[in-house]
Amino acid sequence: MERVDLQGAGARGPAPVRKSRFDLLQMLLVGMIVYIPNQTQFPVEFSIKGLNIVNVMFLWTWFLLAKRRIHTPTPAPLKGGFYFTFFVLALSFLIGQTYDASLLMEDVTALKNMIFFMLLYFLYYRAVQDVKTIRLLFAVILFVTFVASIQGLRQALDYGIASYNETRRVSAPFGWGVSNANRAAVFFAIFLPLFAAVGLFYRDSGKVRAVAYACLALGVFVVFFTYSRQTYFILAALALFLTLKKNWFIAVIIAVVLLNFESWAPDTVVERIMSTEQKEAPPTSSAATEGGAGEGKYDESTESRFIIWAAAGELISERPWGIGLNHFKREIGTYAPRYKNMDAHNNYVLITTEAGLLGPVALLIMLGSMFFLGRRTERINGSVEAKVLGVGFTVSVVAVAMGNIYGSRFFDGDVMGNFWILAALVARYGTLQKELAVKEAAPAAGKRARPSMYA
């Protein structure tokens, strides 16, 4: 990889100086990446409601940036999409309070958490001043994903991998509760593509590629035992997407292998996939009792989603401007009594119901702008580094988009925190390259502009 050091290039005020190998600012940046997906395993209670370790580390980092007068000469890309999303969330909060302000502090906390983790994008974008730091933080994200895979492997072996049990599903790094299994699966779907990108496009070291493929294989094996059918489909789609970018022939082979999953996937995984569709409907299905969102041909988990989404459709038709932030669980029971206090299990449905028609617009703007950020990055300078960052991030964005079809993860800080940091690293890498080009072009331009004594 080419090495570019732009520490403080073009920054306002004195250029920041890295004081030691164990610089406090760098330690905080690394610490947040490590702690965010693991925070449920190390709960710390503060007397101030809504305050936690990540908040403290965030504020401490921001203080150090201000104290050292660290700025970036190029504004953060995508800020318009972020600001519009913040506006939509705040508007949804206000709408909700006009209908029901009985849980004001819960709603305020929900709004704060949704916005807070997205602010990591701006924090890391400002904090990163050179490509060396980007490499370090990218490596830490990979390491955290690898450790989560080890945790997941331990859980799978402890639970037993020979037989399927709905209450024994891998949920690392989010603890041991079965309720976190789908969250863990989406987490892996977002970050495992980074290993795949390193393996496919990092041509500088065969050992690095081999390690990346080994980590990818471990992560995929662990995902099997989350028993998340959505994530099985996501990983299959991402495998085709990635291999098509590399070699269409390999993509065809991958497609054939995936279509014959019953011959190689663990028996418990095959059992889980085949359980989605029931061969024979029960005499009184939930679909019949709730008003006909199907004919009982799906398992309870799948069928319940159709019923909840149909009920959400009624809420949207009645109040297209939104029912209010954090109000879905309070109101869904009116239209689907059996699923009172249930989540939408689809972030597009959830944000449309709570924030109105502006909600999905904001979501799609964010996803689209991040996708094209990744595409621009992979072509920015033709380097292996740009390819790995750009392709890895692009595929992660696709995983985020797909992961919110069957779940509500876009504003889940534990799952998405490191994704916003990754987005900042990719965005900063692009602007650093542009700043370098401008810096290198300036002396040449000055030399051409110098008048000649023979003119």
Side-chain angles (χ1 to χ4, degrees):
M1 293 186 185
E2 63 178 33
R3 297 195 174 271
V4 181
D5 191 352
L6 296 177
Q7 178 115 359
R12 298 186 296 273
V17 177
R18 196 175 301 282
K19 294 183 178 180
S20 71
R21 186 178 177 183
F22 301 102
D23 179 69
L24 178 58
L25 176 58
Q26 192 175 84
M27 290 176 66
L28 286 169
L29 296 175
V30 170
M32 278 188 281
I33 294 173
V34 173
Y35 186 75
I36 286 172
N38 294 287
Q39 58 184 309
T40 54
Q41 300 183 57
F42 306 100
V44 177
E45 295 292 334
F46 285 88
S47 57
I48 302 175
K49 184 177 177 60
L51 187 66
N52 55 46
I53 291 291
V54 179
N55 297 156
V56 172
M57 296 174 76
F58 181 99
L59 294 172
W60 196 354
T61 303
W62 203 270
F63 169 76
L64 289 178
L65 292 176
K67 183 179 179 181
R68 300 182 186 183
R69 292 186 289 171
I70 296 177
H71 300 278
T72 52
T74 307
L78 315 185
K79 65 179 182 179
F82 277 92
Y83 293 163
F84 180 63
T85 302
F86 297 159
F87 166 77
V88 170
L89 294 176
L91 180 62
S92 174
F93 168 80
L94 294 175
I95 290 172
Q97 299 315 301
T98 63
Y99 287 114
D100 178 12
S102 61
L103 299 175
L104 174 61
M105 290 311 300
E106 285 190 20
D107 296 341
V108 169
T109 301
L111 176 64
K112 168 254 179 185
N113 288 336
M114 295 170 84
I115 292 177
F116 169 77
F117 283 98
M118 297 179 75
L119 289 176
L120 288 168
Y121 172 83
F122 294 98
L123 181 74
Y124 275 76
Y125 181 85
R126 179 179 173 185
V128 171
Q129 295 294 306
D130 56 66
V131 174
K132 184 178 179 181
T133 303
I134 293 176
R135 294 190 189 109
L136 170 66
L137 299 180
F138 182 77
V140 174
I141 291 174
L142 292 177
F143 178 74
V144 169
T145 307
F146 168 72
V147 171
S149 299
I150 295 295
Q151 293 170 328
L153 178 62
R154 177 197 167 191
Q155 286 185 353
L157 295 176
D158 285 353
Y159 285 153
I161 60 178
S163 60
Y164 169 65
N165 187 327
E166 175 64 30
T167 64
R168 292 176 172 266
R169 300 171 58 188
V170 167
S171 54
F174 307 119
W176 287 77
V178 66
S179 61
N180 288 317
N182 289 332
R183 297 173 72 217
V186 172
F187 174 85
F188 284 117
I190 293 171
F191 296 105
L192 287 179
L194 303 181
F195 287 115
V198 173
L200 287 170
F201 300 105
Y202 188 79
R203 298 187 298 270
D204 294 355
S205 171
K207 291 182 180 179
V208 170
R209 296 177 68 184
V211 170
Y213 281 132
C215 292
L216 174 63
L218 173 62
V220 171
F221 181 79
V222 168
V223 169
F224 282 154
F225 301 101
T226 64
Y227 297 114
S228 170
R229 293 163 293 189
Q230 171 195 224
T231 307
Y232 297 160
F233 177 78
I234 293 173
L235 290 181
L238 296 183
L240 291 173
F241 181 81
L242 265 170
T243 50
L244 278 171
K245 293 178 73 67
K246 184 70 174 180
N247 187 307
W248 68 268
F249 181 71
I250 297 177
V252 171
I253 295 175
I254 292 292
V256 172
V257 170
L258 291 172
L259 289 173
N260 291 277
F261 71 92
E262 291 182 60
S263 63
W264 55 265
D267 292 340
T268 54
V269 174
V270 175
E271 179 184 350
R272 174 63 170 166
I273 295 173
M274 302 307 289
S275 71
T276 303
E277 189 170 352
Q278 298 176 348
K279 294 182 179 179
E280 194 172 319
T284 55
S285 70
S286 60
T289 58
E290 291 290 352
E295 298 179 353
K297 62 180 181 179
Y298 298 109
D299 70 318
E300 171 63 21
S301 175
T302 302
E303 191 174 307
S304 67
R305 284 166 165 80
F306 296 135
I307 297 170
I308 292 171
W309 297 345
E314 295 184 51
L315 279 168
I316 294 169
S317 64
E318 289 182 7
R319 283 177 273 174
W321 51 85
I323 65 173
L325 189 74
N326 202 39
H327 280 55
F328 187 92
K329 292 182 180 180
R330 298 178 219 173
E331 301 206 27
I332 195 64
T334 304
Y335 298 87
R338 182 175 179 178
Y339 301 103
K340 182 180 180 181
N341 297 321
M342 290 288 286
D343 181 70
H345 298 295
N346 180 310
N347 202 67
Y348 305 101
V349 171
L350 178 62
I351 197 169
T352 305
T353 308
E354 292 191 341
L357 299 181
L358 285 178
V361 173
L363 210 60
L364 293 175
I365 288 174
M366 286 295 300
L367 290 170
S369 58
M370 287 187 293
F371 179 85
F372 288 111
L373 171 65
R375 295 297 301 273
R376 289 194 303 271
T377 301
E378 67 179 272
R379 298 190 298 263
I380 195 167
N381 59 13
S383 69
V384 170
E385 193 166 55
K387 192 77 171 179
V388 169
L389 281 173
V391 172
F393 180 66
T394 300
V395 182
S396 292
V397 172
V398 175
V400 169
M402 297 179 69
N404 281 277
I405 294 174
Y406 219 57
S408 306
R409 308 298 173 209
F410 195 82
F411 300 106
D412 186 335
D414 293 1
V415 175
M416 291 287 290
N418 283 357
F419 174 80
W420 299 122
I421 294 171
L422 176 64
L425 301 183
V426 174
R428 190 67 184 116
Y429 180 84
T431 56
L432 281 170
Q433 296 301 322
K434 291 178 181 177
E435 289 165 14
L436 173 64
V438 170
K439 186 177 180 181
E440 290 179 342
K447 187 175 181 180
R448 287 195 301 271
R450 188 177 302 160
S452 170
M453 63 182 294
Y454 298 106

